[in-house]
Amino acid sequence: MTRIYQFAKAGGPEVLELVEVEENQLGSNEVRIKVKAIGINRAEAMWRADMYIEPVKFPAGLGYEASGVIDALGANVTGLAVGDDVSVIPSFSMNQYFTYGEVVNLPDFAVVKHPETLSYEEAASVWMMFITAYGALIEDAKVGAGDFVLIPAASSSVGLAAIQIARYAGATPIALTRTSAKTEQLLAAGAAHVIATSEEDLVEEVMRITEGKGARVAFDPVGGPGFPKLIDALAFQGIVYIYGALAEGETPMPVLAMIAKMPTIKAHNIWLTSGDDTRRKAAVRYITAGLADGALKPVIDRTFAFDDMVEVHRYLENNGQFGKVVVTV
């Protein structure tokens, strides 16, 4: 028997239930992990509310990231061994697999050995944040020296990863945050510039920083009424990646500004990279190299105990964290 989190209906954090279940039989291409830490993501709160990119099948588990020790291997699994320290790449549907458990089975393609320099808490925080940023900034936009990158919601885990990825590639990250309260933290995290969007004029500041050229890339999890300002802050034929909807509601398209700037607007999520075997392996190589030499490092905001998952989700939805929220098991 083992304990996992499930929910039988959509709703707030209170719908999460810690239940005792029998361990599932291990499939031939699956890996059983004794979980040490779980990385918590905004996607899981959306999943719990049944407001994610696919409908939930009840009763449902949840969770995309974890780290731990391999307990057993399916008959067809290669390249891994019982006792290996591993972490989990978000590359599956939560209708099929999940990580909110003491012992979990996962597909072998989602399980990787991480650098030994990482703690379990850090290893559980790596893949969602860095692969999401890598897919847009490195794989698609191919940012480099001379490029300015706008990063709204910069204190989120993916925002902080984007700052590090941009710097690692030689680009200049411009962190956007609502107030100046987190300015020093963002600069310490690697941002070259910080703009407090409720206190400063976003477009004026970007144009000042870029000497009137604008930013080539914006990496946006917010959307909403402030989106037209991102278009105004872009360089001619710049790119906006939209990977979230933190603002909720409608996101206006400023047609005339778009005709003038001729931007490319792309919806983005991790699956484009993590769902493809070749791309996923390339991302793992790139990020592992960055982790190994210290250029990339997950930022952990706070850790919670496994039994406190309801409180974890309440904390996540307050939007006050700086970096990753992690649960220890």
Side-chain angles (χ1 to χ4, degrees), residues 2 9 17 22 42 44 76 86 89-90 115 117 143 183 190 200 222 234 283 293 304:
T2 188
K9 63 179 181 179
E17 297 181 294
E22 291 187 7
R42 173 69 54 179
E44 292 137 27
N76 295 337
V86 292
I89 296 175
T117 54
V143 302
T183 295
E200 302 171 276
V222 180
L234 283 183
D293 68 17
F304 288 81

Side-chain angles (χ1 to χ4, degrees), residues 5-294:
Y5 277 94
Q6 286 184 334
F7 59 108
K9 63 179 181 179
E14 67 279 357
V15 302
L16 295 176
E17 297 181 294
L18 184 56
V19 298
E20 192 169 35
V21 297
E22 291 187 7
E23 292 181 10
N24 290 334
Q25 185 174 351
L26 193 63
S28 60
N29 291 101
E30 293 180 342
V31 177
R32 179 169 294 149
I33 299 173
K34 287 186 176 179
V35 176
K36 298 292 187 180
I38 302 166
I40 308 299
N41 296 289
R42 173 69 54 179
E44 292 137 27
M46 297 174 70
W47 178 255
R48 188 206 67 228
D50 200 7
M51 296 176 63
Y52 196 45
I53 56 177
E54 62 176 316
V56 178
K57 297 177 182 178
F58 299 104
L62 71 170
Y64 274 136
E65 290 187 284
S67 64
V69 181
I70 293 179
D71 186 53
L73 298 171
N76 295 337
V77 177
T78 60
L80 296 168
V82 172
D84 281 349
D85 287 333
V86 292
S87 50
V88 179
I89 296 175
S91 51
F92 47 83
S93 166
M94 286 187 282
N95 278 322
Q96 296 177 295
Y97 295 98
F98 56 85
T99 61
Y100 284 24
E102 294 173 323
V103 178
V104 296
N105 294 350
L106 290 155
D108 57 357
F109 60 77
V111 178
V112 295
K113 290 185 280 188
H114 50 259
E116 294 180 357
T117 54
L118 298 182
S119 66
Y120 286 123
E121 291 79 9
E122 290 171 329
S125 306
V126 166
W127 301 114
M128 178 69 89
M129 61 191 289
F130 284 117
I131 292 180
T132 302
Y134 165 93
L137 302 184
I138 303 303
E139 192 175 62
D140 196 76
K142 297 178 174 59
V143 302
D147 288 332
F148 291 89
V149 180
L150 299 180
I151 305 170
S155 59
S156 69
S157 59
V158 177
L160 292 167
I163 289 171
Q164 294 183 37
I165 289 279
R167 285 185 66 93
Y168 190 37
T172 301
I174 303 174
L176 308 186
T177 184
R178 285 174 293 179
T179 73
S180 56
K182 296 178 180 177
T183 295
E184 293 305 318
Q185 285 177 288
L186 288 167
L187 291 171
H193 306 274
V194 179
I195 300 174
T197 56
S198 67
E199 302 171 12
E200 302 171 276
D201 187 293
L202 169 61
V203 179
E204 284 185 7
E205 283 299 299
V206 171
M207 292 304 168
R208 180 186 64 79
I209 291 165
T210 64
E211 298 181 342
K213 298 174 183 177
R216 187 169 83 83
V217 176
F219 185 57
D220 182 31
V222 180
F227 185 77
K229 289 188 176 181
L230 282 185
I231 299 297
D232 289 340
L234 283 183
F236 182 67
Q237 294 187 322
I239 310 170
V240 180
Y241 296 92
I242 303 177
Y243 70 97
L246 290 175
E248 301 180 348
E250 298 296 321
T251 297
M253 295 287 109
V255 175
L256 291 178
M258 290 166 62
I259 292 171
K261 286 287 179 79
M262 294 181 64
T264 298
I265 300 174
K266 293 187 174 185
H268 177 70
N269 70 41
I270 192 174
W271 311 121
L272 187 66
T273 304
S274 69
D276 179 272
D277 189 60
T278 300
R279 289 176 171 178
R280 182 176 62 251
K281 289 177 179 176
V284 169
R285 287 193 297 270
Y286 184 95
I287 293 162
T288 298
L291 292 167
D293 68 17

